[in-house]
Amino acid sequence: MTVSLQAMLGLLCLASPIVAQKLDAAAAACQFLDSSIGNGTVLPTDGRYRNLTEANWVQTAWALPTCIIQPITAEDLSEAVKHLVAEDVHFAVRSGGHSPVPLGANIDEGGVLIDMSNFNTVEYHANSSVAVVGSGLRWGEVYTQLDPYNVTVVGGRILDVGVGGLILGSGLSYLSDLYGLACDNVVNFEVVLADGSIVNANAGSNSDLWWSLKGGANNFGIVTRFTLTTYPIGNIWGGVKAYTLDALPALFDAMLEYQSVAEKDPYANLMLQAFPLNATLGVVLNMVYMKPEESPSAFEAFYDIETIADTTQIQSLTSFLASQQAPSLPRLDWFATSFKPDAGLYKTVAETLTSAPELSEIQNLTAGSIAIGWQPISTSAIEAGNARGGNALGLDCANQTWLVIDVGWWDEGDDDTANGATLSMIDKIEAASQGTGNYVDYIFMNDASVEQPVIEHYGPENLAKLRDVQRVHDPDLVFQKLVPGGFKIPV
Ligand SMILES: Cc1cc2nc3c(=O)[nH]c(=O)nc-3n(C[C@H](O)[C@H](O)[C@H](O)COP(=O)(O)OP(=O)(O)OC[C@H]3O[C@@H](n4cnc5c(N)ncnc54)[C@H](O)[C@@H]3O)c2cc1C
Ligand SMILES: *[C@@H]1O[C@H](CO)[C@@H](O)[C@H](O)[C@H]1NC(C)=O
Ligand SMILES: *[C@@H]1O[C@H](CO)[C@@H](O)[C@H](O)[C@H]1NC(C)=O
Ligand SMILES: *[C@@H]1O[C@H](CO)[C@@H](O)[C@H](O)[C@H]1NC(C)=O
Ligand SMILES: *[C@@H]1O[C@H](CO)[C@@H](O)[C@H](O)[C@H]1NC(C)=O
Ligand SMILES: *[C@@H]1O[C@H](CO)[C@@H](O)[C@H](O)[C@H]1NC(C)=O
Ligand SMILES: *[C@@H]1O[C@H](CO)[C@@H](O)[C@H](O)[C@H]1NC(C)=O
Ligand SMILES: *[C@@H]1O[C@H](CO)[C@@H](O)[C@H](O)[C@H]1NC(C)=O
């Protein structure tokens, strides 16, 4: 009894000074920042604290930081970073908070959350066809402010999603087959680096950083503003076609045909979502053509399949996007894999997605649900990215599908089962795509679980370059060590 009590005290004595030191350092930093940066800090005693800690889209990403700061200017952000680095305090960066990665855009006690929501302006420069967009905005605010000028940018497909995380994780848009990914369309990043300097990264200045931020996530600095190329936009034809679950085999055949035509029309874009555990939701096909042309021939393969609902119509792109619903689930994660179109493979994938035993494991959980997202990407998207200076992603110049499996559930105690079952389905699909020679060595960060080695798959050359660039702009590896959350460059 006495011995074990002493042993316990011994352990406590060893552990507590380090923990206490970390908590004290964060608390002291919060106090300092409260009086030194313009907008103050939000402490746990503040009425706004709880809402702000729960502003991340899913509960799995909620946390309890020592304080939250909401800087308004790049200069204030720079002061804050300098202080946090000098005091060795951990921090996290949040823009829209739509990533489900636990502690990716939030942090627990002993750390400071930097909330970017005050970087919220959109400036349109008609003379140079660019828009300067604050990283804390949601895409809906960006599109709505550009609509009066009849221009748009390559950004998110759901209006609520944040600008910062989506672009830094590459960014898939309905405009990607035309103009590349969202990151490909950044002509300048304004970034606060680890030493507090505020720099521009573009083709002419800090071009290594410009390239690295196109897929480099939060490994290099905090982006305050993105200068994005704008494109003219008028009305489009688009909407949602809904199907019963038993239409899935026909839909996969149509998808293959759509992806295999001799000349893929880049104005045509799709995202198929299937809910194999929920017959009420069935299958939802988001279909959009970037011109005001009804039922264009690019989607011919789908027109014979019987729908149970169809909202396709000529409308503005923003109103089409506003009709796209985001699910609302307390706990959620997602896993991504990529492969080339192939009839045999699509049959195996369809089978796995509708009858794998893992589905019953998920169905068995309280509010266990699953959504399969099928996102076709054409070589034209990859070529458009290369033509705009290239990115860090290491994409294979092939027509491909970026598949995502979303899993939702209710209880924290089910986290491991939900994630394990979904990862196991992804492993089966990867085995099938590798077996048929159709595997594409790319994991789409914005749809990936943090358990997946995303940056590892950018390819050895890109990985080496990212490491070199990181050492130039952040020699002490602050963003590697003091910003632990999110997708990190493997050390
Ligand atoms: C409903 C829904 C729809 C989606 N649709 C799309 C889509 O159409 N296309 C697509 O590509 N993705 C899509 N995504 C995925 C989305 O792009 C990612 O989840 C992305 O991380 C969200 O960006 P955010 O700013 O909201 O993220 P946050 O959760 O705020 O941040 C995500 C990560 O980025 C880092 N980060 C954020 N801002 C900065 C910054 N300014 N500087 C440095 N690091 C930063 C954070 O530290 C964190 O690690 C969707 C997600 C949801 C929930
Ligand atoms: C910071 O300022 C913005 C407005 O500029 C305000 O909405 C926000 O609540 C402020 N936050 C804090 C912590 O004072
Ligand atoms: C917190 O959010 C809820 C709903 O999301 C809202 O009703 C409430 O007013 C908010 N509280 C504060 C202090 O902002
Ligand atoms: C473009 O317009 C902006 C204001 O909208 C102005 O500040 C800038 O100088 C102009 N650039 C050129 C090249 O005319
Ligand atoms: C945008 O398009 C509409 C409809 O074609 C037109 O009436 C309007 O003048 C355009 N606005 C600008 C700024 O070009
Ligand atoms: C991709 O598909 C397009 C047509 O859909 C085709 O023209 C092109 O050759 C394909 N690219 C590759 C690398 O197979
Ligand atoms: C299916 O989805 C609907 C609509 O979101 C929801 O109300 C219902 O509870 C879900 N059913 C199951 C079995 O999850
Ligand atoms: C479903 O849950 C029950 C009780 O928790 C368990 O006994 C059973 O094995 C589970 N079934 C599956 C398929 O996981």
Side-chain angles (χ1 to χ4, degrees), residues 233-238 267 288-296 313-317:
I233 189 83
N235 276 345
I236 57 94
W237 178 80
Y267 288 87
V288 55
Y289 195 68
M290 290 298 158
K291 293 177 188 172
E293 190 182 320
E294 292 206 19
S295 304
Q313 57 182 303
I314 292 185
Q315 56 183 325
S316 75
L317 179 57

mmCIF file of all heavy atoms in Angstrom, residues 233-238 267 288-296 313-317:
data_model
loop_
_atom_site.group_PDB
_atom_site.id
_atom_site.type_symbol
_atom_site.label_atom_id
_atom_site.label_comp_id
_atom_site.label_asym_id
_atom_site.label_seq_id
_atom_site.Cartn_x
_atom_site.Cartn_y
_atom_site.Cartn_z
ATOM 1 N N ILE A 233 -18.600 33.939 -65.354
ATOM 2 C CA ILE A 233 -19.607 32.895 -65.154
ATOM 3 C C ILE A 233 -20.989 33.474 -65.426
ATOM 4 O O ILE A 233 -21.305 34.580 -65.001
ATOM 5 C CB ILE A 233 -19.518 32.269 -63.737
ATOM 6 C CG1 ILE A 233 -20.419 31.045 -63.589
ATOM 7 C CG2 ILE A 233 -19.831 33.285 -62.652
ATOM 8 C CD1 ILE A 233 -19.833 29.775 -64.104
ATOM 9 N N GLY A 234 -21.770 32.740 -66.191
ATOM 10 C CA GLY A 234 -23.166 33.114 -66.403
ATOM 11 C C GLY A 234 -24.018 32.028 -65.791
ATOM 12 O O GLY A 234 -23.578 31.348 -64.855
ATOM 13 N N ASN A 235 -25.206 31.813 -66.310
ATOM 14 C CA ASN A 235 -26.024 30.729 -65.801
ATOM 15 C C ASN A 235 -25.443 29.387 -66.227
ATOM 16 O O ASN A 235 -24.757 29.279 -67.235
ATOM 17 C CB ASN A 235 -27.457 30.857 -66.305
ATOM 18 C CG ASN A 235 -28.260 31.797 -65.418
ATOM 19 O OD1 ASN A 235 -27.836 32.115 -64.305
ATOM 20 N ND2 ASN A 235 -29.401 32.252 -65.917
ATOM 21 N N ILE A 236 -25.761 28.391 -65.431
ATOM 22 C CA ILE A 236 -25.338 27.022 -65.698
ATOM 23 C C ILE A 236 -26.587 26.145 -65.745
ATOM 24 O O ILE A 236 -27.685 26.600 -65.399
ATOM 25 C CB ILE A 236 -24.381 26.519 -64.601
ATOM 26 C CG1 ILE A 236 -25.015 26.616 -63.200
ATOM 27 C CG2 ILE A 236 -23.106 27.374 -64.578
ATOM 28 C CD1 ILE A 236 -25.689 25.423 -62.701
ATOM 29 N N TRP A 237 -26.405 24.885 -66.168
ATOM 30 C CA TRP A 237 -27.493 23.907 -66.039
ATOM 31 C C TRP A 237 -27.049 22.901 -64.989
ATOM 32 O O TRP A 237 -25.939 22.353 -65.084
ATOM 33 C CB TRP A 237 -27.735 23.208 -67.378
ATOM 34 C CG TRP A 237 -28.814 22.148 -67.303
ATOM 35 C CD1 TRP A 237 -30.161 22.349 -67.327
ATOM 36 C CD2 TRP A 237 -28.614 20.725 -67.196
ATOM 37 N NE1 TRP A 237 -30.820 21.145 -67.233
ATOM 38 C CE2 TRP A 237 -29.891 20.129 -67.151
ATOM 39 C CE3 TRP A 237 -27.491 19.903 -67.126
ATOM 40 C CZ2 TRP A 237 -30.082 18.757 -67.050
ATOM 41 C CZ3 TRP A 237 -27.672 18.526 -67.015
ATOM 42 C CH2 TRP A 237 -28.956 17.961 -66.980
ATOM 43 N N GLY A 238 -27.867 22.716 -63.972
ATOM 44 C CA GLY A 238 -27.438 21.757 -62.964
ATOM 45 C C GLY A 238 -28.499 21.520 -61.917
ATOM 46 O O GLY A 238 -29.505 22.231 -61.843
ATOM 47 N N TYR A 267 -16.763 21.172 -69.429
ATOM 48 C CA TYR A 267 -17.865 21.937 -68.817
ATOM 49 C C TYR A 267 -18.784 21.033 -68.001
ATOM 50 O O TYR A 267 -19.605 21.515 -67.232
ATOM 51 C CB TYR A 267 -18.664 22.683 -69.895
ATOM 52 C CG TYR A 267 -17.891 23.855 -70.464
ATOM 53 C CD1 TYR A 267 -17.011 23.687 -71.532
ATOM 54 C CD2 TYR A 267 -18.017 25.125 -69.900
ATOM 55 C CE1 TYR A 267 -16.275 24.751 -72.029
ATOM 56 C CE2 TYR A 267 -17.282 26.202 -70.386
ATOM 57 C CZ TYR A 267 -16.415 26.009 -71.449
ATOM 58 O OH TYR A 267 -15.680 27.065 -71.926
ATOM 59 N N VAL A 288 -23.709 18.994 -63.096
ATOM 60 C CA VAL A 288 -23.663 20.418 -63.463
ATOM 61 C C VAL A 288 -22.894 20.624 -64.760
ATOM 62 O O VAL A 288 -21.842 20.016 -64.987
ATOM 63 C CB VAL A 288 -23.112 21.289 -62.295
ATOM 64 C CG1 VAL A 288 -21.763 20.819 -61.825
ATOM 65 C CG2 VAL A 288 -23.036 22.764 -62.683
ATOM 66 N N TYR A 289 -23.460 21.462 -65.615
ATOM 67 C CA TYR A 289 -22.837 21.832 -66.878
ATOM 68 C C TYR A 289 -22.620 23.339 -66.824
ATOM 69 O O TYR A 289 -23.539 24.095 -66.543
ATOM 70 C CB TYR A 289 -23.759 21.450 -68.045
ATOM 71 C CG TYR A 289 -23.046 21.470 -69.370
ATOM 72 C CD1 TYR A 289 -22.050 20.540 -69.651
ATOM 73 C CD2 TYR A 289 -23.354 22.420 -70.346
ATOM 74 C CE1 TYR A 289 -21.374 20.553 -70.860
ATOM 75 C CE2 TYR A 289 -22.684 22.446 -71.563
ATOM 76 C CZ TYR A 289 -21.691 21.502 -71.809
ATOM 77 O OH TYR A 289 -21.018 21.515 -73.002
ATOM 78 N N MET A 290 -21.387 23.779 -67.060
ATOM 79 C CA MET A 290 -21.033 25.176 -66.798
ATOM 80 C C MET A 290 -21.494 26.149 -67.877
ATOM 81 O O MET A 290 -20.940 27.238 -68.007
ATOM 82 C CB MET A 290 -19.514 25.298 -66.603
ATOM 83 C CG MET A 290 -19.038 24.669 -65.331
ATOM 84 S SD MET A 290 -19.764 25.490 -63.898
ATOM 85 C CE MET A 290 -19.574 24.194 -62.692
ATOM 86 N N LYS A 291 -22.511 25.764 -68.647
ATOM 87 C CA LYS A 291 -23.124 26.665 -69.625
ATOM 88 C C LYS A 291 -24.641 26.489 -69.485
ATOM 89 O O LYS A 291 -25.090 25.426 -69.050
ATOM 90 C CB LYS A 291 -22.730 26.267 -71.051
ATOM 91 C CG LYS A 291 -21.261 26.449 -71.391
ATOM 92 C CD LYS A 291 -21.026 25.939 -72.818
ATOM 93 C CE LYS A 291 -19.557 25.902 -73.174
ATOM 94 N NZ LYS A 291 -19.333 25.225 -74.465
ATOM 95 N N PRO A 292 -25.417 27.480 -69.902
ATOM 96 C CA PRO A 292 -26.881 27.366 -69.763
ATOM 97 C C PRO A 292 -27.482 26.487 -70.862
ATOM 98 O O PRO A 292 -28.261 26.948 -71.685
ATOM 99 C CB PRO A 292 -27.344 28.822 -69.868
ATOM 100 C CG PRO A 292 -26.289 29.508 -70.674
ATOM 101 C CD PRO A 292 -24.999 28.801 -70.409
ATOM 102 N N GLU A 293 -27.127 25.202 -70.846
ATOM 103 C CA GLU A 293 -27.564 24.287 -71.905
ATOM 104 C C GLU A 293 -28.222 23.082 -71.266
ATOM 105 O O GLU A 293 -27.577 22.339 -70.514
ATOM 106 C CB GLU A 293 -26.311 23.880 -72.693
ATOM 107 C CG GLU A 293 -26.585 23.127 -73.959
ATOM 108 C CD GLU A 293 -25.266 22.732 -74.655
ATOM 109 O OE1 GLU A 293 -24.306 23.537 -74.677
ATOM 110 O OE2 GLU A 293 -25.211 21.588 -75.136
ATOM 111 N N GLU A 294 -29.500 22.871 -71.556
ATOM 112 C CA GLU A 294 -30.216 21.779 -70.897
ATOM 113 C C GLU A 294 -29.770 20.415 -71.394
ATOM 114 O O GLU A 294 -29.526 20.236 -72.580
ATOM 115 C CB GLU A 294 -31.718 21.935 -71.165
ATOM 116 C CG GLU A 294 -32.253 23.159 -70.469
ATOM 117 C CD GLU A 294 -33.738 23.054 -70.146
ATOM 118 O OE1 GLU A 294 -34.267 21.928 -70.125
ATOM 119 O OE2 GLU A 294 -34.332 24.110 -69.904
ATOM 120 N N SER A 295 -29.702 19.466 -70.466
ATOM 121 C CA SER A 295 -29.387 18.070 -70.776
ATOM 122 C C SER A 295 -28.315 17.907 -71.849
ATOM 123 O O SER A 295 -28.565 17.305 -72.894
ATOM 124 C CB SER A 295 -30.672 17.333 -71.199
ATOM 125 O OG SER A 295 -31.641 17.464 -70.195
ATOM 126 N N PRO A 296 -27.123 18.414 -71.636
ATOM 127 C CA PRO A 296 -26.073 18.298 -72.644
ATOM 128 C C PRO A 296 -25.659 16.838 -72.866
ATOM 129 O O PRO A 296 -25.848 15.998 -71.981
ATOM 130 C CB PRO A 296 -24.917 19.109 -72.046
ATOM 131 C CG PRO A 296 -25.153 19.088 -70.591
ATOM 132 C CD PRO A 296 -26.637 19.087 -70.415
ATOM 133 N N GLN A 313 -31.920 22.309 -63.586
ATOM 134 C CA GLN A 313 -32.543 23.456 -64.240
ATOM 135 C C GLN A 313 -31.457 24.467 -64.574
ATOM 136 O O GLN A 313 -30.331 24.359 -64.083
ATOM 137 C CB GLN A 313 -33.567 24.097 -63.298
ATOM 138 C CG GLN A 313 -32.937 24.529 -61.973
ATOM 139 C CD GLN A 313 -33.942 25.115 -60.998
ATOM 140 O OE1 GLN A 313 -34.618 26.080 -61.307
ATOM 141 N NE2 GLN A 313 -34.030 24.522 -59.822
ATOM 142 N N ILE A 314 -31.827 25.445 -65.384
ATOM 143 C CA ILE A 314 -30.893 26.529 -65.657
ATOM 144 C C ILE A 314 -30.978 27.524 -64.510
ATOM 145 O O ILE A 314 -32.068 27.952 -64.122
ATOM 146 C CB ILE A 314 -31.198 27.150 -67.029
ATOM 147 C CG1 ILE A 314 -30.859 26.084 -68.091
ATOM 148 C CG2 ILE A 314 -30.389 28.439 -67.239
ATOM 149 C CD1 ILE A 314 -30.957 26.502 -69.511
ATOM 150 N N GLN A 315 -29.845 27.837 -63.924
ATOM 151 C CA GLN A 315 -29.807 28.713 -62.752
ATOM 152 C C GLN A 315 -28.379 29.238 -62.588
ATOM 153 O O GLN A 315 -27.487 28.865 -63.343
ATOM 154 C CB GLN A 315 -30.248 27.936 -61.508
ATOM 155 C CG GLN A 315 -29.417 26.670 -61.251
ATOM 156 C CD GLN A 315 -29.909 25.850 -60.053
ATOM 157 O OE1 GLN A 315 -30.373 26.408 -59.073
ATOM 158 N NE2 GLN A 315 -29.805 24.530 -60.137
ATOM 159 N N SER A 316 -28.171 30.079 -61.588
ATOM 160 C CA SER A 316 -26.806 30.547 -61.357
ATOM 161 C C SER A 316 -26.023 29.444 -60.650
ATOM 162 O O SER A 316 -26.607 28.577 -59.980
ATOM 163 C CB SER A 316 -26.809 31.817 -60.503
ATOM 164 O OG SER A 316 -27.096 31.489 -59.158
ATOM 165 N N LEU A 317 -24.706 29.478 -60.800
ATOM 166 C CA LEU A 317 -23.868 28.479 -60.132
ATOM 167 C C LEU A 317 -24.055 28.572 -58.617
ATOM 168 O O LEU A 317 -24.152 27.559 -57.927
ATOM 169 C CB LEU A 317 -22.393 28.699 -60.517
ATOM 170 C CG LEU A 317 -21.373 27.755 -59.886
ATOM 171 C CD1 LEU A 317 -21.682 26.295 -60.195
ATOM 172 C CD2 LEU A 317 -19.956 28.098 -60.346
#
